[in-house]
Structures are given as structure tokens and as C-alpha cells.
Amino acid sequence: MLVAAAVCPCPPLLVPEVAAGAAPELDAARAACVDAIGVLAASRPDRLVVVGPAGPEGHGPHPQGARGSFRGFGVDLDVRLGAPEGGSEVPERELPASLAVAGWLLEHTGWSAAPVDGLGVGAPLAAERCVRVGQEVATRADRVALLVMGDASACRTLKAPGYLDDRAADYDAAVAAALAAADVEALKGLDEKLAHELQVAGRAPWQVLAGAAAGADLKGALLFDDAPYGVGYLVAAWS
């Protein structure tokens, strides 16, 4: 069953080497992510499952030790999703960017509390399917923790990747309220079409969380809520 969850944004800019001179601008977001992962470690999980958005090439499971890279962002930096398990063969398939950021966060925090595996989910995945995936994830061990990666809208300012959309702030506020309250039903009900229009990368991973958390009676706390660069970044912890 699910015993804890952390929700973090997944921009490669969270990695200081990628952000370079702009790295201090996301110091508060990084610190909140560290705090959220600390909640996961404190929950004493038997397994940590990392869920994040992925394109077609990154869909599906990614085992512990899978490799990720930030070379596509001009940085000679590789990461792994947890330490490789002894004797196991690491597949050649590279982590999607969201799980590579998660891998960096876990390395940055020195994660050693439990084995890790990853799951890439596509933006078009329907809410009902996301919920079913979450229900399956919650059965992978007696005590499961989730690290859920995903950004909110990319339309909060004129310079945002998706330009300014007046609906974005309200959408992000509703998600923030749901994460703060650990409101599973609110996450299940997120508007898929609107999420697509607002370029919300986290919608499907959040709904996987909703499926995993159903019946777990977790309490939520919102640790960070801001929109640097016009993109909504939310950090929350459930336990």
C-alpha cells in the first residue's frame, strides 16, 4: 500500500549544472524537493516508485540503475535511477528527462532507504487508465512510496513556453489545493483537455498518484508553489 508520496517539478533547470548561472533562481524549489524526499525516506518504504511524464520512447517501466543523461541540454552529466543492483544488467534505454531529474534528486539527497524503479507515463494517457496504473503501483510492496514528477501549466506569463493563458493560474491553484489537501478525488477529476491546452506535464503522473493513494488516508502539505519562467512548479509531500 502507499505510505508516502512526494510531488516535484521536473524541469532540467533543477539540476544546477544545467541551469548554470541561473541555478540560484531555483534554490527554493530544490530545497523543497529535498524536504519532500525526506518525507519519503522517513516513511520507511519497502520500494520507491518514481513516476514522470515521458514521450513515446520513454513510456513504461525503467528498472533500478537505469541511466539518464543531460547531454541533450548541453551538459556532460549522466545520472542513474538509484544504484544498480548487483549482478543485474542495466538496459540501454535511456531515462526520459523527468526521471533523469528524479535520478539527480535522489543522488543529491543520498537516497538509500529502499529499492527504486521508474515508470514513464505519456501525456495522452486517460485519467481512468492513470488511476488503474496507480492502483497497480500501490501493490508492488507492503510499503510503497511514490516520487511523482511533473510541472503544472506552461502558460503563466507572456514569456512562458506556451505564452500567457488566463486559465493557467486558476488551473494551477486548483492543483496546488488538491496536493495540499491530499485530495484524491480532485486529482482524479483534473480536466485532461484543459491540461493539454495549458501544457501541463504533470496531469497524468498526478492522476497515477490519485489511483495509488485511494484509501490510504494520507495527509498533504504544499511545500512550494511558484511559476518561475512562466511555468508552474509545485512541491508537495503526503504521509
Side-chain angles (χ1 to χ4, degrees), residues 8-230:
C8 296
C10 59
L13 288 173
L14 268 182
V15 180
E17 291 88 340
V18 176
E25 297 177 13
L26 290 181
D27 279 349
R30 288 187 200 94
C33 291
V34 169
D35 289 344
I37 291 172
V39 171
L40 299 183
S43 74
R44 298 177 291 108
D46 299 319
R47 177 161 297 275
L48 173 65
V49 181
V50 183
V51 181
E57 71 288 345
H59 282 184
H62 296 269
Q64 179 161 317
R67 299 183 183 91
S69 172
F70 296 97
R71 297 175 192 271
F73 301 96
V75 176
D76 186 13
L77 176 65
D78 297 322
V79 296
R80 289 184 184 272
L81 190 65
E85 295 181 295
S88 62
E89 184 176 345
V90 177
E92 291 297 322
R93 188 167 72 127
E94 192 169 286
L95 294 169
S98 65
L99 298 190
V101 173
W104 179 85
L105 283 170
L106 294 173
E107 288 183 4
H108 179 64
T109 56
W111 178 266
S112 61
V116 183
D117 56 59
L119 178 66
V121 295
L125 198 65
E128 295 81 1
R129 177 59 179 152
C130 292
V131 169
R132 289 198 298 272
V133 168
Q135 291 168 341
E136 182 276 325
V137 165
T139 67
R140 292 188 181 181
D142 288 340
R143 298 179 63 83
V144 175
L146 277 184
L147 174 54
V148 183
M149 309 298 293
D151 302 340
S153 70
C155 302
R156 292 281 292 273
T157 67
L158 292 173
K159 293 185 178 180
Y163 196 65
L164 176 65
D165 190 310
D166 292 337
R167 302 170 296 175
D170 287 344
Y171 189 98
D172 290 355
V175 175
L179 294 175
D183 189 337
V184 168
E185 294 305 316
L187 292 180
K188 287 181 181 179
L190 290 175
D191 188 318
E192 299 170 52
K193 181 174 183 293
L194 182 56
H196 174 73
E197 293 171 357
L198 298 176
Q199 300 182 24
V200 178
R203 190 275 306 168
W206 298 331
Q207 290 182 321
V208 171
L209 167 61
D217 195 28
L218 301 181
K219 306 300 182 186
L222 188 67
L223 307 182
F224 184 84
D225 179 2
D226 201 0
Y229 319 117

